[in-house]
Amino acid sequence: MPAPHLQSYKDRADRHTNLAARALLRCMDAKKTNLAVSVDVTRTKDFFDIIEAVAPYVCLIKTHIDILEDWEPSVTAKLQMLASEHNFLIFEDRKFADIGNTVALQYSSGIYKISDWAHIVNAHPVPGPSVITGLASVGMKSKETRGLLLLAEMSTKGALTTGNYTVDAVRMARQYREFVIGFIAQRRMEGVGASETDITAEEDFLILAPGVGLDAKGDAMGQQYRTPTEVVTECGCDVIIVGRGIIGTGRDIDVEVVKRQAQRYQAAGWEAYENRVARL
């Protein structure tokens, strides 16, 4: 039998022990998509116009809820409704990076109450294992599906998330597999920093890859782009995260363009996945 990460999304979902990972993999298989759209806009009307346009083509909607200038509690209620209606998960890209007690409060409290509505969140491993245990103290008590991604690598030029940093992130994740479902990274993490006793036959961390583009190789702020084929087929990542390649760079949102671009990236990502599975 091939390694878990080389199997189909369906087979991996059937075998995965983490509920959040299982939910995401099942969504991906059912909708035939490995696309996550990063909805980085500042107005709620644009926020929902984009989500409603891309909803049929995504497995994840990635949010930065704190950049919405006109946010109110009804925003996250509507977001949850759309996630249920269109079968996608919500990933709040909060990048927690503090001591355990603080991140637990940031996750559960304040005006956003992220743990109430986000299926998946992420964290920098800089503070050490307490950032995981703090978030898990909230997420693991939830009656809903909740999971954590660690930032093992980033797609920006000059990022410090390399070498021992990445190794330590993976080692931490192995200690908390009941809550950590995978990584923000550029490649597979199986075997990174591991001895033979660290890895089990069932190790299957999900890899969500930012910096995916079909038309550009980078931007003026250090972002670097790779194609879905490079990310999924060649590097074995599971989810492609696309923002400006779909929603554009201007302030005015053209919903029809957004929809066409989402279809385009969904098709390219799925083709890359099918090509990977066909190699088995």
Side-chain angles (χ1 to χ4, degrees), residues 98-164:
D98 215 315
I99 63 172
N101 183 67
T102 299
V103 298
L105 292 172
Q106 291 172 326
Y107 188 24
S108 64
S109 304
I111 63 172
Y112 299 119
K113 296 179 174 56
I114 295 168
S115 62
D116 287 353
W117 50 269
H119 302 97
I120 298 169
V121 293
N122 59 356
H124 287 290
V126 172
S130 69
V131 72
I132 302 175
T133 56
L135 294 168
S137 72
V138 176
M140 293 292 289
K141 290 180 181 177
S142 174
K143 295 180 181 179
E144 307 294 334
T145 299
R146 298 292 180 261
L148 175 66
L149 301 165
L150 292 183
L151 281 101
E153 297 177 324
M154 296 183 73
S155 56
T156 47
K157 185 177 181 180
L160 303 180
T161 49
T162 60
N164 288 338

Side-chain angles (χ1 to χ4, degrees), residues 5-234:
H5 71 272
L6 295 175
Q7 298 171 23
S8 70
Y9 294 144
K10 181 181 185 305
D11 287 343
R12 291 167 67 186
D14 291 343
R15 298 169 63 87
H16 218 293
T17 57
N18 186 291
L19 294 179
R22 189 184 305 166
L24 179 56
L25 287 163
R26 285 177 174 167
C27 173
M28 293 159 71
D29 176 68
K31 294 180 71 175
K32 292 183 167 36
T33 180
N34 51 21
L35 173 63
V37 172
S38 185
V39 190
D40 296 340
V41 292
T42 59
R43 300 179 296 193
T44 56
K45 181 184 185 304
D46 294 336
F47 182 75
F48 285 118
D49 283 349
I50 291 167
I51 291 172
E52 290 176 7
V54 305
Y57 315 109
V58 302
C59 59
L60 274 177
I61 289 292
K62 185 171 81 70
T63 63
H64 283 113
I65 206 69
D66 59 351
I67 69 174
L68 288 174
E69 296 169 348
D70 53 348
W71 179 89
E72 56 184 34
S74 62
V75 169
T76 47
K78 183 175 179 179
L79 179 59
Q80 288 178 287
M81 180 193 72
L82 290 171
S84 177
E85 179 182 346
H86 293 284
N87 186 25
F88 62 77
L89 276 67
I90 304 164
F91 167 26
E92 167 57 19
D93 191 4
R94 176 61 178 76
K95 296 184 178 74
F96 294 99
D98 215 315
I99 63 172
N101 183 67
T102 299
V103 298
L105 292 172
Q106 291 172 326
Y107 188 24
S108 64
S109 304
I111 63 172
Y112 299 119
K113 296 179 174 56
I114 295 168
S115 62
D116 287 353
W117 50 269
H119 302 97
I120 298 169
V121 293
N122 59 356
H124 287 290
V126 172
S130 69
V131 72
I132 302 175
T133 56
L135 294 168
S137 72
V138 176
M140 293 292 289
K141 290 180 181 177
S142 174
K143 295 180 181 179
E144 307 294 334
T145 299
R146 298 292 180 261
L148 175 66
L149 301 165
L150 292 183
L151 281 101
E153 297 177 324
M154 296 183 73
S155 56
T156 47
K157 185 177 181 180
L160 303 180
T161 49
T162 60
N164 288 338
Y165 182 98
T166 300
V167 169
D168 289 341
V170 178
R171 285 174 174 165
M172 275 194 280
R174 288 196 182 103
Q175 297 174 28
Y176 300 98
R177 293 184 194 176
E178 69 280 3
F179 189 53
V180 179
I181 66 172
F183 303 96
I184 301 295
Q186 303 292 302
R187 58 191 169 94
R188 298 304 310 178
M189 292 288 115
E190 283 82 9
V192 172
S195 66
E196 291 184 5
T197 58
D198 288 329
I199 304 176
T200 71
E202 298 302 312
E203 180 165 298
D204 185 9
F205 288 116
L206 300 181
I207 306 296
L208 282 69
V212 177
L214 288 169
D215 303 310
K217 289 298 181 182
D219 68 11
M221 294 189 180
Q223 177 64 288
Q224 301 174 106
Y225 294 111
R226 297 182 298 162
T227 67
T229 295
E230 291 173 304
V231 170
V232 178
T233 310
E234 297 173 10

